[in-house]
Amino acid sequence: RRSRGERRSVALCSVALSSSSVFALLVLLVWPRSTPLEIKYVLLGATSVGKTSLASRLVYDRFRTTEAPTIGAAFSTKVFSVNAPDEKRRVALSAGAGTRKRLVKAVVWDTAGQEKYHSLTPMYYRNAMCAIICYDITSAESFEEAQRWSDELRLQGPEHCVVCVVGNKSDMEAERQVATSDAKAWSNTVGASFYEVSAKTGSSSCAKIFEESAMRVLRHPLLLQYHAKPNPRRARPETPRDRVLREGKRRWPCFGR
């Protein structure tokens, strides 16, 4: 049999364990968790330029020699981290200062490049935060199609959007038809970032496109405010005066005339 002192020590240990469990549960409930910033990407370009391969490299890190043509659009997501600028630290004393790790959830819409699906594409690049216009460096026609996509995006696309121009299939240098200097000059004209990658051989270069464009989104002064979702918790409850003002025209159509 245990003595009275042993029973008292066992009781105190059980109380301490239960208190620590309750404290751990409270920490899990109250501790702020980092929610990834959702960024909508849209891939635009002619058919067979490798848009689906770019998305597969980002999401699954794989490449298929034969990809089925996209019907309408394909949807995929990928979560990664970037060194985002810290809004609380306005003055950076060193190169690494003033930044912090930020989770980003890339919502990638891979649109079809076939002409019969062209009328559906505006539905997919609506409210996009980043547009990636792709072309094939071995096809001059795809580069001309990319320029037409840029013009359409400027006229019908979102007001604030980060644009990137990507020349795919850089591993086929012997069959090149689009010069790098011409594509880069045109990208600078439209204010877009320029990349030449190969979805077949370069997985890191493909991921770099999405990471650097996410950095541009985070540094954009108006983009995050434009796409910010309203917080229902911060909404002010409707007062009787607001209700009277809202229903005033319906109740008194001739009021004030």
Side-chain angles (χ1 to χ4, degrees):
R1 298 180 58 184
R2 296 179 178 177
S3 62
R4 181 178 300 177
E6 292 178 349
R7 290 197 301 269
R8 182 178 300 176
S9 62
V10 170
L12 290 175
C13 290
S14 62
V15 170
L17 289 174
S18 61
S19 302
S20 62
S21 302
V22 171
F23 178 74
L25 180 61
L26 290 175
V27 167
L28 291 176
L29 293 176
V30 177
W31 192 266
R33 292 172 291 181
S34 58
T35 304
L37 173 66
E38 186 173 305
I39 298 180
K40 180 180 178 180
Y41 293 82
V42 59
L43 299 177
L44 305 173
T47 183
S48 301
V49 297
K51 300 185 297 295
T52 304
S53 299
L54 288 174
S56 298
R57 270 299 185 188
L58 172 71
V59 180
Y60 308 108
D61 194 16
R62 71 185 182 191
F63 176 80
R64 293 177 178 176
T65 55
T66 56
E67 288 280 0
T70 305
I71 300 176
F75 171 80
S76 57
T77 60
K78 175 70 174 182
V79 177
F80 54 87
S81 62
V82 296
N83 289 321
D86 193 354
E87 298 179 356
K88 296 181 180 180
R89 300 187 63 180
R90 299 294 182 182
V91 180
L93 301 179
S94 62
T99 60
R100 62 184 178 89
K101 287 290 185 180
R102 181 73 181 270
L103 286 178
V104 173
K105 180 181 179 181
V107 181
V108 184
W109 285 93
D110 175 22
T111 61
Q114 303 178 39
E115 186 64 28
K116 59 182 178 180
Y117 300 115
H118 187 85
S119 59
L120 301 176
T121 307
M123 178 176 58
Y124 299 113
Y125 63 63
R126 185 181 299 119
N127 295 329
M129 304 174 74
C130 179
I132 301 177
I133 304 175
C134 306
Y135 71 94
D136 182 1
I137 69 168
T138 64
S139 173
E141 296 179 358
S142 66
F143 183 65
E144 296 176 357
E145 184 71 17
Q147 295 176 355
R148 288 192 288 269
W149 276 113
S150 175
D151 296 337
E152 179 179 336
L153 189 67
R154 190 183 303 109
L155 294 176
Q156 303 181 16
E159 182 179 0
H160 304 289
C161 183
V162 172
V163 182
C164 301
V165 175
V166 177
N168 195 18
K169 304 182 183 181
S170 61
D171 56 301
M172 304 173 65
E173 185 66 30
E175 303 177 16
R176 176 186 289 272
Q177 295 183 6
V178 181
T180 304
S181 58
D182 297 341
K184 192 172 183 178
W186 170 71
S187 302
N188 294 333
T189 303
V190 298
S193 300
F194 175 72
Y195 303 90
E196 274 195 358
V197 299
S198 173
K200 182 179 180 179
T201 60
S203 59
S204 59
S205 58
C206 295
K208 182 181 178 181
I209 300 172
F210 294 90
E211 293 173 359
E212 291 188 355
S213 59
M215 291 291 297
R216 290 183 61 191
V217 170
L218 291 170
R219 291 194 178 103
H220 199 286
L222 299 175
L223 192 55
L224 295 179
Q225 299 178 7
Y226 182 77
H227 293 275
K229 297 180 181 179
N231 190 353
R233 295 183 179 179
R234 295 183 179 180
R236 184 173 61 87
E238 187 180 28
T239 61
R241 176 180 172 82
D242 296 335
R243 192 177 301 110
V244 170
L245 294 176
R246 177 171 55 81
E247 299 178 355
K249 290 186 177 180
R250 184 170 57 85
R251 290 185 177 181
W252 305 290
C254 298
F255 180 77
R257 293 186 180 179

